[in-house]
Amino acid sequence: MTAIKHALQRDIFTPNDERLLSIVNVCKAGKKKKNCFLCATVTTERPVQVKVVKVKKSDKGDFYKRQIAWALRDLAVVDAKDAIKENPEFDLHFEKIYKWVASSTAEKNAFISCIWKLNQRYLRKKIDFVNVSSQLLEESVPSGENQSVTGGDEEAVDEYQELNAREEQDIEIMMEGCEYAISNAEAFAERLSRELQVLDGANIQSIMASEKQVNILMKLLDEALKEVDQIELKLSSYEEMLQSVKEQMDQISESNHLIHLSNTNNVKLLSEIEFLVNHMDLAKGHIKALQEGDLSSSRGIEACTNAADALLQCMNVALRPGHDMLLAVEQQQQRFSDLRENFARRLASHLNNVFVQQGHDQSSTLAQHSVELTLPNHHPFHRDLLRYAKLMEWLKSTDYRKYEGLTKNYMDYLSRLYEREIKDFFEVAKIKMTGTTKESKKFGLHGSSGKLTGSTSSLNKLSVQSSGNRRSQSSSLLDMGNMSASDLDVADRTKFDKIFEQVLSELEPLCLAEQDFISKFFKLQQHQSMPGTVTEGEDTDGGTLSRQHNAGTPLPVSSEKDMIRQMMIKIFRCIEPELNNLIALGDKIDSFNSLYMLVKMSHHVWTAQNVDPASFLSTTLGNVLVTVKRNFDKCISNQIRQMEEVKISKKSKVGILPFVAEFEEFAGLAESIFKNAERRGDLDKAYTKLIRGVFVNVEKVANESQKTPRDVVMMENFHHIFATLSRLKISCLEAEKKEAKQKYTDHLQSYVIYSLGQPLEKLNHFFEGVEARVAQGIREEEVSYQLAFNKQELRKVIKEYPGKEVKKGLDNLYKKVDKHLCEEENLLQVVWHSMQDEFIRQYKHFEGKNLNICR
C-alpha cells in the first residue's frame, strides 16, 4: 500500500499541488468487484482545500487516472455501519449516498480517522460520524489540544528556518578552527561553552566601565523628551487646522464621484439608445417597398428583397437584458411583425397569381408542339420566377406556413400543366410509332387522348394475338422456307428506336431542369447525405431488378432532399404510367422492341444514377426499367414457347425450322443493339435459354418428322446454327457453337452411311457375312472354302451389279438426297461429296476383302 501511495502522490497529486494524507482500497457494494482507491488530500497552497478523490486504474494500461473528486465541505454523513464489530463496509453521504466496501477494516478506520482530523483542523463543520467507535475519535484528537497530528506536523515544518549565507559562513569558519568537531562533538561543545563564558564576562565588565556614560545618555534622553512634547503640541494645533480642510476635501471628492457616476450613466444610456436606433430602425424607403413595392418589375423585386432582408435583420437583432421591457422596443417589434405579416401575404398572393398565369400562358404553346415530338420549354418561366428566389428564402425563414402553402399551390398548378403536356407528348409518340391514326386504333389507341384502351384486358388480348401471329408466321415459314421471322423490317425497328430515344431524351432534361429550379427557387439542398435512400436494386450479374419503393407513394419528409423528391413525384406523377403505356404499345407492335427499350432505358438509368442515385428521375426510370426487363424476359419466354408449339407439315420436307431462323434474326438484331451496352449480362442469359430451347426442339421436330429423315433435319438445322454462331462470334455461346458443329458432323456422317447402304445391298450383306465369320474365329483364307462365301457366290453377287446398274443406283441416290435437302441451306454438294468419299472408301474395303477371298 505504501508503494501505491507513493506512486499516486508522484503521478496524480504532485502535478496538481496536492498532498495525499490517507488512502483506502475499496469497491462498490453489491456490484462486480471493480477496485478503486479513495484518497484524502489537501492542497499545498493557501487557502487549503480538502478533497476526497476517487482514483481508478486505467483499462488500457497499468497507470492510474483521477476519476471524480468531492469537496470535504460537501460531506454530510460518514456511516461506518458498526461501531463494535469489525465491518469493512462504510457509506459517504455527499449529494447522494456512495456505498463502499474496504479491503480491510484497518484501512477503513484509518481513512475515517483522517477524515475526522481534517474536519477538525480545516472545516469545523458539522459532519455526522455514525456508527464510528468513540475510542477511534478520541485517539484522533487528544484532549486540550487544538491541532491534529497532521496539523502539528505542518506547524513544525512552518517553524523551521534555513540558515542564511552569513550564518553558514560563520559555522564553517568555526568548524575549520576545530578540526576535531565532527569526530569529537563533546569536546567541541565544551570549547564552545568556555568561549561563551569568556564573552559573557567581557560584556559585564564593559557595562560596568561605561556607567558614567550611561548617566550622560539619560540626561540627553530627558531633554529629547521635552522637545518631543513641544513638537506634539504644535502638531495638535496643525491637525485642528487641517480638520476643516479635510471635511471640505471630502465634500469635493464626493461631489466629483457623483459627477463621474452621472457621466458614466449618461454614456451607457447613450450607447443603449444608439444600439436600439441603429439596429431597430427601418428606413422609410424599406417600409414603403414592403407596403407598396411593385413585385412584377425587376427594380421593384430588388427593392422588396433589400427591404425584406433589412426587416429580418431588425427582427432578429439580439436584444440586451432589459430591452424587451421598454415600451418603445415592444411597439417597434409589433410594427415589424405587422409589416412582415402584410408583406408575406402580399408576396404569397402575387406568386400564386404568377403560377396561375404560367399555366394559361404555357397552355397556349401546346398547339405548336402537338405535331412535333418535343416538350415545351419552361426555361423562360423558371427564369422569371428565379427573381423571387431570395424572397422565397425570406418567406421560408419568417413565415413557414405561407411558404408551405406556396409550395403546395405550385405543385398543384404545375402538375396539371405538366400532365397535359406529357400526355400530348406521349400521344404524338404513339402515333409516330404506329404510323397513322387508323393503325393506332389497331393497337388500342383512340381519339386524341392517347390512352391505351382496356388496360389489363387489352394487354392480355394483344399479347395472345401477338403469340398467335408468331405461330401463324411459324406455320407459314414451314411452307415458304425462307421468309423472315417478323413482318416488320429493320427500318420500322430503327424508327421505333429513334422515337423511344427521343422520348427519353426529352423527358430527362425536363425533369432535371424542373428539379434544379425547385432546389433554387424553394431554397432546398439537393446534395446532402441522407439515410434510408430509396434506390432500385439489381442482382450482381445484371439480372432481375427488385422494386423497393413505388414512386407514386409519398414518403415522410425527413430532409430537404426528401422534399424535393416528393415535389417531383407530385408534379410528374403521370410520367411513369405514360412510359409504361408506351412500353406496352412498343411491345405489342413488335416483341423485339423490348431489346431496344432495355438498352436505351438501362443507359438512361445509369446516367441518372451517376448524377444522383436517389433523385426522382433515377427512381422513376429505375421502376420503368423493371417493366422493360419483364417484357424482355416475356419475349424470351414467348420465343421458347413458340419453339415448343411448332408443328411441321407431313406432306412437305422440313428444311430450316422457323425458330432456328428466328434465333438467327434475334441474335443478329440483339448483337447490333447490345453492342457496348451496360446490360450485356441479361442478353447472355437470354442467349443461353434460347439456344438450349433451339437444341431441344430441333431434336424433338427431327424425331417427329415423317417426310424428311431425322438425320437431314438435324444436319441442316445444326449446320445453320453453327454458321450463325460462327458469323456473330458470340463469346458466351462458344461451347454451344462447338456442340452444334459436332451434331452437324455426326448426323452428316450418319445420313451418308445410311444412304450408301442401299445401292449395293447384296454385296454389302455378303461382306458383312464374311466379316461375321472372321469375327467368329475363322481365318480369312479359310472363309472362301465355305459354300455361302466361296468365289462362285461372290461372282454371282458381283454380276448383279454391273456398271450401268451401279451408276443408275447412284443417280437415284443423288435425286433422293436432292429431294431430302432444302435449297436455302445449299448442302447438296457437301453431302454428295461426303457420299462419294464414303462410296470410294467402301469400294476399297470390298476390293481388299475380294482379294483375300480370291486367294
Side-chain angles (χ1 to χ4, degrees):
M1 183 63 75
T2 304
I4 294 175
K5 184 176 180 181
H6 177 71
L8 294 177
Q9 176 67 55
R10 182 190 63 227
D11 298 337
I12 296 178
F13 298 110
T14 299
N16 293 329
D17 297 328
E18 292 177 309
R19 189 149 58 91
L20 176 60
L21 300 179
S22 182
I23 183 173
V24 58
N25 186 3
V26 298
C27 62
K28 287 188 177 181
K31 293 193 175 181
K32 295 182 179 178
K33 302 294 184 180
K34 291 187 178 179
N35 289 344
C36 59
F37 295 99
L38 291 180
C39 305
T41 66
V42 295
T43 58
T44 57
E45 296 180 355
R46 297 183 185 275
V48 176
Q49 295 182 4
V50 187
K51 297 180 181 178
V52 177
V53 182
K54 179 182 175 184
V55 177
K56 184 180 179 182
K57 181 177 281 190
S58 174
D59 297 334
K60 298 183 179 178
D62 295 334
F63 61 91
Y64 295 91
K65 63 180 182 179
R66 186 184 188 120
Q67 191 169 19
I68 189 171
W70 301 274
L72 189 62
R73 63 175 176 272
D74 296 333
L75 181 61
V77 179
V78 177
D79 187 358
K81 296 297 184 182
D82 198 329
I84 300 173
K85 296 181 181 179
E86 291 188 355
N87 186 354
E89 297 182 3
F90 66 98
D91 297 345
L92 299 181
H93 295 224
F94 288 101
E95 74 279 359
K96 66 177 184 179
I97 300 175
Y98 294 90
K99 296 180 181 294
W100 307 100
V101 179
S103 60
S104 68
T105 307
E107 286 187 18
K108 181 190 83 169
N109 292 337
F111 184 75
I112 293 175
S113 175
C114 183
I115 294 294
W116 171 271
K117 295 173 185 178
L118 292 173
N119 179 50
Q120 293 298 317
R121 176 169 175 78
Y122 294 108
L123 300 180
R124 300 283 185 180
K125 70 183 289 286
K126 182 65 175 178
I127 297 179
D128 291 335
F129 287 81
V130 182
N131 298 322
V132 179
S133 172
S134 58
Q135 183 182 359
L136 180 62
L137 301 180
E138 288 173 0
E139 290 177 357
S140 301
V141 184
S143 61
E145 293 184 4
N146 292 329
Q147 63 181 16
S148 67
V149 176
T150 305
D153 292 341
E154 288 185 354
E155 288 179 358
V157 173
D158 294 341
E159 291 173 359
Y160 169 76
Q161 294 182 355
E162 294 183 359
L163 296 175
N164 58 34
R166 184 173 180 179
E167 290 172 343
E168 288 180 0
Q169 186 177 3
D170 292 342
I171 291 175
E172 287 177 359
I173 293 171
M174 186 183 300
M175 293 181 70
E176 286 175 0
C178 302
E179 296 178 355
Y180 57 85
I182 298 176
S183 60
N184 192 347
E186 292 181 358
F188 179 65
E190 289 178 2
R191 178 177 175 180
L192 290 177
S193 179
R194 287 196 300 271
E195 290 180 355
L196 183 60
Q197 290 175 0
V198 172
L199 289 174
D200 289 341
N203 287 335
I204 292 170
Q205 290 176 3
S206 176
I207 291 170
M208 291 175 66
S210 61
E211 183 178 356
K212 192 181 288 186
Q213 294 177 358
V214 169
N215 292 330
I216 296 170
L217 180 62
M218 292 299 291
K219 266 184 198 181
L220 292 174
L221 288 174
D222 290 338
E223 293 175 359
L225 288 173
K226 291 178 182 179
E227 292 292 332
V228 169
D229 290 339
Q230 292 177 3
I231 291 172
E232 285 182 353
L233 291 173
K234 288 183 180 181
L235 288 175
S236 296
S237 64
Y238 292 156
E239 187 177 359
E240 290 175 0
M241 289 170 28
L242 290 173
Q243 184 65 33
S244 62
V245 176
K246 180 179 177 297
E247 292 175 358
Q248 293 176 5
M249 293 303 296
D250 288 342
Q251 291 177 358
I252 293 172
S253 176
E254 185 178 357
S255 176
N256 289 337
H257 174 70
L258 293 174
I259 292 171
H260 178 71
L261 183 62
S262 176
N263 289 337
T264 304
N265 289 336
N266 289 334
V267 170
K268 289 183 177 179
L269 180 59
L270 179 62
S271 174
E272 296 296 328
I273 293 173
E274 287 179 347
F275 173 81
L276 293 175
V277 171
N278 292 335
H279 292 86
M280 295 194 67
D281 185 28
L282 190 62
K284 292 183 179 179
H286 290 332
I287 296 175
K288 184 176 181 181
L290 292 172
Q291 293 175 342
E292 304 173 2
D294 184 10
L295 289 172
S296 59
S297 66
S298 299
R299 183 174 297 179
I301 293 172
E302 184 179 0
C304 290
T305 303
N306 296 334
D309 291 339
L311 176 62
L312 187 61
Q313 291 178 3
C314 290
M315 296 187 70
N316 292 339
V317 63
L319 295 177
R320 296 170 185 173
H323 284 176
D324 54 349
M325 300 176 66
L326 297 175
L327 180 60
V329 172
E330 185 178 349
Q331 291 175 349
Q332 191 75 343
Q333 287 179 333
Q334 183 61 42
R335 184 184 182 192
F336 290 158
S337 298
D338 294 340
L339 281 172
R340 180 192 63 187
E341 182 67 26
N342 293 332
F343 180 69
R345 189 184 305 111
R346 195 163 68 90
L347 176 62
S349 175
H350 178 77
L351 288 177
N352 278 326
N353 293 334
V354 173
F355 297 158
V356 174
Q357 186 62 34
Q358 160 65 12
H360 294 312
D361 294 344
Q362 200 73 12
S363 299
S364 62
T365 63
L366 290 178
Q368 64 185 19
H369 294 278
S370 60
V371 295
E372 300 175 5
L373 195 56
T374 57
L375 283 166
N377 187 4
H378 288 250
H379 175 70
F381 173 60
H382 291 165
R383 182 192 58 216
D384 293 341
L385 277 180
L386 282 176
R387 298 181 301 170
Y388 302 94
K390 291 184 178 179
L391 289 175
M392 283 298 295
E393 184 178 11
W394 175 86
L395 189 64
K396 181 180 179 183
S397 61
T398 57
D399 194 337
Y400 197 76
R401 180 176 295 181
K402 287 188 173 59
Y403 171 83
E404 281 187 326
L406 277 176
T407 304
K408 184 178 182 301
N409 291 340
Y410 179 83
M411 290 189 295
D412 291 340
Y413 292 132
L414 267 293
S415 61
R416 291 196 291 268
L417 175 62
Y418 275 119
E419 186 171 5
R420 292 196 304 271
E421 292 178 355
I422 290 171
K423 286 188 175 181
D424 290 345
F425 172 73
F426 275 94
E427 171 67 16
V428 174
K430 292 171 186 175
I431 292 174
K432 286 183 177 292
M433 282 181 182
T434 55
T436 63
T437 306
K438 183 182 292 186
E439 291 176 356
S440 67
K441 292 180 180 179
K442 168 186 169 184
F443 292 100
L445 297 174
H446 63 86
S448 60
S449 64
K451 295 182 180 177
L452 289 170
T453 60
S455 187
T456 306
S457 61
S458 177
L459 285 171
N460 295 334
K461 290 179 181 178
L462 285 169
S463 178
V464 172
Q465 180 182 353
S466 177
S467 300
N469 291 339
R470 287 282 183 189
R471 286 195 292 270
S472 64
Q473 290 166 10
S474 299
S475 61
S476 64
L477 280 167
L478 288 171
D479 297 331
M480 302 180 67
N482 60 352
M483 195 173 179
S484 173
S486 176
D487 58 351
L488 294 173
D489 56 12
V490 177
D492 291 333
R493 289 173 180 161
T494 305
K495 173 185 173 184
F496 173 83
D497 182 37
K498 289 181 179 179
I499 294 173
F500 192 73
E501 172 63 23
Q502 189 173 356
V503 169
L504 296 179
S505 299
E506 288 288 325
L507 289 176
E508 187 171 341
L510 181 72
C511 293
L512 292 176
E514 185 62 33
Q515 180 168 316
D516 184 60
F517 167 75
I518 288 174
S519 172
K520 292 177 180 178
F521 182 70
F522 292 98
K523 294 300 177 182
L524 301 172
Q525 297 294 327
Q526 291 192 71
H527 306 290
Q528 62 182 12
S529 59
M530 185 197 70
T533 299
V534 179
T535 57
E536 293 302 318
E538 181 175 339
D539 62 3
T540 54
D541 56 359
T544 306
L545 289 159
S546 61
R547 191 175 310 203
Q548 295 182 358
H549 167 63
N550 185 357
T553 304
L555 290 173
V557 177
S558 59
S559 69
E560 293 186 348
K561 195 171 183 181
D562 282 333
M563 187 172 178
I564 292 177
R565 190 165 60 253
Q566 293 301 323
M567 291 179 69
M568 292 292 291
I569 290 172
K570 180 70 179 298
I571 292 172
F572 292 108
R573 59 193 174 193
C574 64
I575 283 185
E576 185 172 342
E578 287 294 333
L579 272 174
N580 286 332
N581 288 340
L582 188 70
I583 289 166
L585 176 63
D587 192 53
K588 291 172 195 132
I589 294 173
D590 183 2
S591 61
F592 283 176
N593 285 337
S594 60
L595 278 70
Y596 292 98
M597 291 188 285
L598 182 62
V599 171
K600 297 297 183 185
M601 189 61 70
S602 300
H603 176 70
H604 283 272
V605 169
W606 178 81
T607 303
Q609 287 183 343
N610 282 343
V611 175
D612 184 0
S615 66
F616 164 78
L617 183 65
S618 176
T619 305
T620 302
L621 294 182
N623 292 341
V624 176
L625 179 59
V626 174
T627 304
V628 174
K629 178 61 170 59
R630 287 173 181 167
N631 288 346
F632 174 77
D633 293 340
K634 188 170 72 173
C635 173
I636 302 302
S637 301
N638 287 339
Q639 290 192 55
I640 295 174
R641 188 177 70 252
Q642 290 169 15
M643 296 177 193
E644 296 169 352
E645 295 175 355
V646 70
K647 301 295 181 182
I648 58 172
S649 174
K650 296 181 180 180
K651 297 182 180 180
S652 59
K653 59 185 176 181
V654 176
I656 302 302
L657 293 170
F659 54 79
V660 174
E662 284 183 359
F663 174 77
E664 178 184 13
E665 180 188 7
F666 174 83
L669 180 64
E671 286 301 308
S672 64
I673 295 173
F674 279 80
K675 187 177 182 181
N676 301 323
E678 290 86 358
R679 299 187 67 89
R680 178 73 195 193
D682 292 329
L683 181 62
D684 291 343
K685 282 186 175 182
Y687 276 149
T688 304
K689 292 180 182 178
L690 283 175
I691 199 68
R692 284 292 106 201
V694 170
F695 280 17
V696 169
N697 286 286
V698 165
E699 190 164 354
K700 173 189 170 186
V701 172
N703 293 334
E704 296 175 354
S705 174
Q706 297 179 2
K707 183 72 174 178
T708 306
R710 178 180 182 276
D711 288 329
V712 173
V713 177
M714 298 286 284
M715 172 185 64
E716 287 183 326
N717 284 279
F718 279 108
H719 176 268
H720 192 86
I721 294 169
F722 171 70
T724 299
L725 297 180
S726 299
R727 174 172 55 84
L728 296 177
K729 297 178 181 178
I730 302 172
S731 58
C732 67
L733 297 181
E734 281 297 319
E736 285 77 4
K737 182 178 78 172
K738 293 178 182 178
E739 184 181 353
K741 182 179 181 182
Q742 185 63 41
K743 287 181 178 290
Y744 156 68
T745 305
D746 293 345
H747 288 285
L748 172 62
Q749 189 66 24
S750 174
Y751 178 66
V752 168
I753 292 173
Y754 171 77
S755 299
L756 282 178
Q758 305 303 320
L760 307 175
E761 185 176 1
K762 292 182 180 180
L763 187 62
N764 194 29
H765 288 328
F766 180 84
F767 284 110
E768 285 177 356
V770 172
E771 290 176 353
R773 296 298 185 276
V774 172
Q776 292 173 1
I778 301 174
R779 291 186 299 176
E780 291 185 357
E781 58 271 16
E782 294 178 358
V783 174
S784 61
Y785 294 107
Q786 294 192 8
L787 184 62
F789 302 103
N790 56 24
K791 296 178 183 179
Q792 288 78 12
E793 289 296 323
L794 178 59
R795 290 191 183 98
K796 288 180 183 178
V797 173
I798 292 174
K799 285 181 180 178
E800 293 184 12
Y801 296 102
K804 290 183 179 180
E805 289 295 326
V806 173
K807 185 176 182 302
K808 183 180 178 182
L810 291 175
D811 289 341
N812 291 334
L813 178 61
Y814 183 84
K815 293 177 181 178
K816 189 174 184 180
V817 171
D818 185 29
K819 186 182 297 183
H820 287 164
L821 299 178
C822 64
E823 295 179 0
E824 63 259 25
E825 202 58 24
N826 198 21
L827 287 177
L828 178 60
Q829 295 302 321
V830 176
V831 173
W832 186 246
H833 183 71
S834 298
M835 286 186 172
Q836 288 176 340
D837 293 343
E838 180 63 21
F839 183 81
I840 293 171
R841 188 191 66 77
Q842 287 188 13
Y843 173 76
K844 291 180 179 180
H845 177 70
F846 293 157
E847 186 178 22
K849 296 292 182 181
N850 186 20
L851 289 175
N852 291 333
I853 293 173
C854 292
R855 289 175 189 170

